[in-house]
Amino acid sequence: MKINKKWISMLMKIVLSSLLLTMLYYKVDVNKFYNIIKSADIMIFSFALILFLVSQIISTFRWKMLLHTEKMNIHFYNLVGYCFIGMFFNLFMPTIVGGDVIRGYYLYKKSNMGSESAASIFVERLSGFFALMVIGLLSLIIGYSYIKDKPVIVMLLAFITLGFFAFLLLIANKGVRDRVNNFIKGGRLEWVRQKLKGISESIKRYRNHKDVVIRVIILSFIVQIIAISIVYFLSMSLNFNISLAYFFLFIPIVVVISMVPVTLSGLGVREFAFIFLFHKVGLGTTEALSLSLLWFSISVIASIFGGVIFLFSENPMSTIHKKAV
C-alpha cells in the first residue's frame, strides 16, 4: 500500500509539536504556571479578545478591497465567515497560514474564480507580512538601545527583515527573477521556478490598482499594530512589567518562526521562541510560556466561532455554488 507523503509529514509535525510541548512541561513549574494563568485579569483579557476580533474584521475588509478589483462581489459577512472558518482549521493545519487554503477554497467554490481567489489571499497575506517586517525593522532602528547588548536578537530580526525584502526584490524585479529562473531551471529546483512564476502572476494582477494596494497596506499596518498590542495587553493582564517597545521587537520574530512548517500550527516552536526572547528581558520560563499560551488561547477562542460557522453553513465540499454576480 502506497503511503501518502502528506500524511507522513502531518504525523511528523504532530509528533514534533508533542515532543516540544512535553519538553516544556518538564521545564516549567506547573503549579506556578497554573497560578499565573489563574491570576490573569479577566477584564484586560476580554479587551484583548475584543481587539483580536476587531483586527479580523479589519483584515476581512482589507481582503474585500482586493476582491473588488477582481470584480468578485462577495458579501462581507460571507468573507468574515470564511476568515473565521480558516482560523478554525488553522488549529489542525501544519502552519499558521494553513487556514488560508481553506478560506481560499470556500471563496473559489462561491465564485468559480480560482486564480483570482488564490491571488487575493496571497497579496493580502503578503501585505500583512510587509507591514510586520517594516514595523520590526523600524523597531530595531528606533529601539536599538533596548537590545544593543543582546546581539542574537539584533541578528535574528535583521536577518528576517533583510531576507523578506530580498524576497520582495526577487518577485518584483523581472531582471533578478529571470537570473534566478535561469539558474534553477530544470532539475530538482524546477518547482521553485514554478512557485516564483505563480507568485509573480499574483502580484501582476494588482499593478494597475496602486491606490487599492496602498489602502490595503495601511490597513495591514493597523492590523499588525493591534496584533502586537494584544500581546502587550495580555502581559499586563498577567501583571508582567515589560516595556511595549520589546513587543514591537519580539513579536515579528515570533510570528516568522511560528510560520516555519515544522510543527502543528506553530505549537512548540512559538513557545520556545517566546521563552528565548522574553528571557532576555527578565521573564522566566514559566512566565514566558504563560504569556505565549494565553496569546494562543485568544485565537483558539476566536476559532470556536469559526467552528460554529463551519457546522451551520453550507459545505463547499459537497455543494456547488453559483458564480457570484
Side-chain angles (χ1 to χ4, degrees):
M1 184 176 66
K2 188 176 181 180
I3 300 175
N4 192 312
K5 291 183 179 180
K6 290 184 178 179
W7 284 108
I8 295 177
S9 176
M10 174 71 78
L11 180 61
M12 291 177 65
K13 288 165 184 174
I14 293 173
V15 170
L16 182 56
S17 282
S18 301
L19 287 173
L20 291 174
L21 292 176
T22 301
M23 289 172 60
L24 287 172
Y25 175 81
Y26 286 104
K27 281 180 172 290
V28 303
D29 184 328
V30 178
N31 290 327
K32 184 179 180 181
F33 171 81
Y34 173 75
N35 289 329
I36 290 173
I37 295 297
K38 186 179 178 181
S39 67
D41 188 312
I42 190 64
M43 294 300 293
I44 299 178
F45 178 84
S46 299
F47 177 66
L49 176 59
I50 291 171
L51 275 181
F52 182 83
L53 296 176
V54 169
S55 72
Q56 296 307 307
I57 298 300
I58 297 173
S59 295
T60 305
F61 183 70
R62 175 183 66 183
W63 187 20
K64 184 170 177 59
M65 290 174 63
L66 291 169
L67 294 176
H68 185 69
T69 65
E70 299 280 4
K71 296 182 171 50
M72 297 173 68
N73 299 316
I74 310 297
H75 286 297
F76 184 76
Y77 69 84
N78 279 337
L79 296 178
V80 171
Y82 300 161
C83 284
F84 277 91
I85 290 172
M87 278 195 289
F88 173 69
F89 277 93
N90 258 342
L91 296 177
F92 317 104
M93 302 294 278
T95 71
I96 63 173
V97 296
D100 289 345
V101 177
I102 301 300
R103 65 182 174 116
Y105 187 72
Y106 267 77
L107 180 60
Y108 161 65
K109 297 302 290 185
K110 184 71 173 177
S111 64
N112 287 330
M113 300 171 72
S115 59
E116 294 88 345
S117 299
S120 69
I121 291 175
F122 174 78
V123 172
E124 185 222 0
R125 179 65 70 172
L126 185 66
S127 71
F129 206 67
F130 172 78
L132 187 69
M133 290 298 96
V134 170
I135 289 171
L137 184 59
L138 290 176
S139 298
L140 178 60
I141 295 171
I142 297 171
Y144 180 71
S145 59
Y146 283 89
I147 56 172
K148 63 182 179 181
D149 58 334
K150 304 172 181 66
V152 174
I153 296 174
V154 174
M155 288 188 290
L156 260 178
L157 191 51
F159 177 77
I160 290 170
T161 52
L162 289 174
F164 174 71
F165 286 112
F167 171 73
L168 281 184
L169 178 64
L170 174 62
I171 62 175
N173 188 290
K174 188 177 184 302
V176 174
R177 192 169 61 253
D178 286 344
R179 290 188 184 92
V180 173
N181 284 337
N182 289 333
F183 179 75
I184 63 177
K185 188 175 182 179
R188 294 182 178 181
L189 293 178
E190 177 63 20
W191 65 273
V192 176
R193 193 175 72 86
Q194 294 300 323
K195 286 285 186 181
L196 288 175
K197 181 180 178 182
I199 292 171
S200 178
E201 291 298 322
S202 296
I203 298 296
K204 284 180 181 178
R205 289 181 176 276
Y206 297 97
R207 284 183 177 174
N208 295 325
H209 303 282
K210 293 181 180 178
D211 55 331
V212 173
V213 172
I214 290 172
R215 291 198 293 270
V216 164
I217 290 174
I218 291 172
L219 288 179
S220 293
F221 274 99
I222 294 172
V223 168
Q224 296 302 335
I225 290 171
I226 291 175
I228 293 170
S229 300
I230 286 171
V231 190
Y232 172 69
F233 284 120
L234 290 175
S235 75
M236 289 179 58
S237 76
L238 297 174
N239 203 30
F240 296 160
N241 186 24
I242 306 172
S243 170
L244 177 62
Y246 286 118
F247 291 88
F248 278 86
L249 286 164
F250 294 167
I251 298 305
I253 298 175
V254 173
V255 171
V256 173
I257 291 175
S258 300
M259 292 176 70
V260 178
V262 294
T263 63
L264 189 67
S265 196
L267 272 173
V269 172
R270 176 179 52 250
E271 284 64 42
F272 268 98
F274 255 87
I275 291 169
F276 173 77
L277 293 169
F278 284 93
H279 178 72
K280 303 293 184 182
V281 293
L283 278 193
T285 299
T286 304
E287 289 82 1
L289 179 63
S290 302
L291 180 57
S292 177
L293 291 179
L294 201 63
W295 185 31
F296 181 62
S297 73
I298 289 280
S299 61
V300 171
I301 293 171
S303 297
I304 293 173
F305 293 110
V308 173
I309 295 170
F310 172 71
L311 289 175
F312 291 97
S313 65
E314 291 182 296
N315 185 350
M317 308 292 184
S318 59
T319 305
I320 298 176
H321 295 275
K322 292 182 180 180
K323 186 174 181 178
V325 178

